[in-house]
Amino acid sequence: MAINTDIEITRVNARKTDAFDIFNFRYYQGPNFYLEKAAIVFDLTVTENSTPLLLQQYADQIADYYPHIREQSWDSYAALFAQTVAEVSNLGMGLQLDRWSLHPQSHQCTRIAVQSLHTRVSRSVVYSVWDWFEAMTQKEKFYLDDQVKMLQKNFRDSVYGGPTVYALLKTAHQLDIPAFYLWDEGLMQYGYGKKQVRGIATTFDRDSHLDSDFTTRKDDCKSFLACLGFPVPKGEVVYSLSEALAVARRIGYPIAIKPVVGHKGIGVTADIHDADELMQAVERAIQAIPPTEPLRIIVERSIPGKDYRLLCVNGRFVAATERRPASVTGDGKSTIQELIDRENRSPDRSDTPTSPLGKIQCDDAMERYLEEQRLSLDRVLERGHTVFLRKVANLSSGGFSIDATQIVHPDTIILVQDIAQHFRLTCLGIDVITADLSQSWKESHFGILEINAAPGIFMHLRPAIGESVDIASHILKTFFTAGQDARIPILTFNRVSVSELLEMIDHILLKYPNWTIGSVCREGVFINRSQKEKHPDYNTNVQNLLRNPSLDLLIVEYQETAIDHDGMFYSGSDLVLLDNPTEVEMILMRDVVETSTVVVRKADKISVHRHGLVEQYQLEAEEPINRVYLKEIATVLSGLPE
C-alpha cells in the first residue's frame, strides 16, 4: 500500500557537485508491480553535474564493509546502488531484507525497488547510501558505522523495533503466516479474518486480561501461589520504612526488597544484610513505584542462588535461562570504568533488537553496590579478578543470559507447568532462584520470585552463552499449526462490477449460508449484501475487512490504477480471475499460493491454470464470463479444508 504522505512529486534533489540523483519516492506496504514484497521505490539517475567513479571503484570501497560484494559483478550503477541499499537495510542486525529489483525508465534513469519494513527507516537508508556514493565520488571520508548506529536507533524506536515483536514478525514470515501492524490500535495482527490473533509482544487477545492483570499484583499473586502449595519466599507487604525494618527483624536477614507494582527488575534489591542497606533499598523501591500507584513494598526472605527465568508457552515448559548480573574482569592496568567502556564497545553489546547483550548501564545503584564491595569506578582490578556490578541480574542493565533449558530437573518442569495451568495466558515467565537448577526443587533451596504475563523472549532466542530456543515458533504454532491455518479464502479480480459481485456472494451463501463474506471493489465495500462506508484509501478498506474477526471469505478487485498507486495489501489468493488484464494487472497471477487457481480471459479465450496444468477453451457467443467465474469459485471452495 502506498503511504500518500511519503510520495514525492518528481523533482531533482541533487546538489551541483552530486554525480547521482534520487527522487520519486513511493512506499508499498505489500506486493506491487516492482517487487513481491513490501518495498520502497525510487528513481536513480546519473547527473551531468559530476563525473562518477568507475563502477568497480565504488564496489571495492563498499566491499570493505560487505566483503561478499567482491564476489559479484555489476553492469550498472543502479544495480550496485540497489544492492548496497539492501545491505545497509539489514542494519547489522540480521534483518531479513534482501529483495530488490531494477526497472529502467530511460537511458540514464532506473527505478529501484528494495524490500522494506518501515518507511521512515527505509528512506533514511536510501539517503545514507546516496551520501556514501557522493562521498566516494568526492574522495571524502564517510562514517558508515555512525550512520548505521543512527539507523539502528530509528528502527528501535519504530513499532517493529522491539526484539520480541521483530522475532515474532520474522518467524511469521518464515511460517507463511500473514502479519501486519494495526496502526490505530497499536497491535500486531497474525492471520486474516476469523483465523486472526492480535497482540502486543507476547500478550494476545486470546489471553485472560484478568489473569494478566493479576500477575502484576505481586503480593496477591504470591499469596495465591503459596495457597496452592508452591514454594515462595516468606515475606510481607509493607507501607513504610518502619514496617519494613520490623518485618526484616521478624523474618531475619538476608532479605529482598521490591515494589508491589513494577517491571524489568526496577527498584528490586536482593541480599540485604542490615538496616542501612534496607533503608537504601526501600528508597529505591519507592522511586520505582509509578505516581498513580499506592506505596506498597514487598519485604521477603532472600534465598541464595542463581536467578533463572523459566518460560511456559500454552501451559508447556519450553525454555530456561540463567540471568547473571553485569560484570567485568580485571587486566591489572585498567579501571572498572575503563573495563566497562571497553566491554560496551563489544559487537555483542551493540544494544540492538538482535544483539545478545545490552550496554552496561552506569547509575547510582551500580556505584552503591561497588561501594558495598569497597570498590569504585576508578579502582584498577588485578588481572583475572571478576567483579559483579549489580546484585540483580537485570538484562536491560547489561546482565547476560545463559541457556539452561537442557539442565532443568523433571520435578521443576512439572512445577512450572502446574503453575501455568492456573493462568489462561499464552506465555508465562516464571522467575525462580536456586543454587542448582539440575536438582529437584523439592531437595534444594528454591523460591519462586514472581511470574510475568508478558515475558520477553529474546534472552531465549539469542542467549549470550548456549543454544537458541525458537520461542517465536512455539508461540505462533500455539495458534496456527501451518501457514494455511492463518488464512481465509481470498478471491482476487482485476475487474468486477457490483452486480457481478453480489451474484457471486449469493452463489457462495447458497452453499455456506452462515458465512460472513467481505468484498471491496471500485464502487463499494460490502459485508455479504450490505454496503458499508468506503474509506478513501483503497487498501485501508481491504485491511478493515481482514481485520474483521467474523470474516470467512474475502473478494477484492485490484485494477491497474489501484496496483500502481497502492500495491496490494495481501499476498496469496486462492483464486485469481483476470479479464483481459494489463501488464500491471498480471502481477495478480504472480502472487498466488501453490494450490491456487488462476483464470485468464483474453478476448474470447479462457485459460485455467491449476496445479501446474493449463486448460484452455473458448467462450461461446454471448456466453457471460461470470459463468466461468461461478464454476471456478465452486471448484476452489470445495477443495478447501473445512
Side-chain angles (χ1 to χ4, degrees), residues 205-278:
D205 58 356
R206 299 187 187 181
D207 294 337
S208 165
H209 293 289
L210 291 175
D211 283 354
S212 182
D213 290 342
F214 180 56
T215 64
T216 66
R217 306 199 316 264
K218 297 178 184 178
D219 53 340
D220 293 336
C221 195
K222 179 181 175 182
S223 297
F224 172 68
L225 294 175
C227 181
L228 293 170
F230 297 123
V232 295
K234 182 180 179 181
E236 298 179 26
V237 175
V238 302
Y239 303 88
S240 67
L241 174 60
S242 60
E243 288 183 85
L245 289 166
V247 171
R249 286 192 298 269
R250 186 160 56 251
I251 66 176
Y253 292 96
I255 62 166
I257 296 288
K258 64 180 76 172
V260 168
V261 177
H263 65 287
K264 293 186 176 180
I266 300 172
V268 177
T269 307
D271 199 28
I272 298 167
H273 288 84
D274 55 44
D276 289 339
E277 289 184 33
L278 183 145

Side-chain angles (χ1 to χ4, degrees), residues 156-228:
R156 282 199 304 274
D157 294 339
S158 77
V159 296
Y160 306 111
T164 294
V165 172
Y166 181 72
L168 287 167
L169 181 64
K170 177 179 176 181
T171 302
H173 290 322
Q174 292 170 343
L175 297 175
D176 196 29
I177 295 170
F180 53 91
Y181 189 74
L182 298 167
W183 292 92
D184 293 336
E185 300 173 64
L187 301 173
M188 285 294 300
Q189 178 171 323
Y190 305 91
Y192 293 150
K194 69 176 184 180
K195 303 289 189 70
Q196 70 177 267
V197 175
R198 282 171 284 136
I200 302 174
T202 56
T203 301
F204 300 92
D205 58 356
R206 299 187 187 181
D207 294 337
S208 165
H209 293 289
L210 291 175
D211 283 354
S212 182
D213 290 342
F214 180 56
T215 64
T216 66
R217 306 199 316 264
K218 297 178 184 178
D219 53 340
D220 293 336
C221 195
K222 179 181 175 182
S223 297
F224 172 68
L225 294 175
C227 181
L228 293 170

Side-chain angles (χ1 to χ4, degrees), residues 318-319 403 405-406 457-463 465-471:
V318 294
D403 177 57
T405 305
Q406 300 304 318
I457 64 173
F458 201 73
M459 69 177 80
H460 308 291
L461 289 173
R462 195 175 177 193
I465 300 173
E467 297 297 320
S468 170
V469 181
D470 189 2
I471 303 299

Side-chain angles (χ1 to χ4, degrees), residues 494-495 578-586 600-602:
N494 69 321
R495 57 181 53 86
L578 302 177
D579 187 0
N580 291 302
T582 66
E583 179 186 1
V584 171
E585 291 166 352
M586 285 297 290
V600 183
R601 174 194 185 185
K602 292 187 177 179

Side-chain angles (χ1 to χ4, degrees), residues 368-375 379 387-390:
R368 280 193 298 269
Y369 186 51
L370 288 175
E371 288 175 7
E372 292 177 22
Q373 303 174 77
R374 298 182 180 179
L375 297 170
R379 172 75 173 271
V387 170
F388 286 100
L389 303 173
R390 295 178 183 274

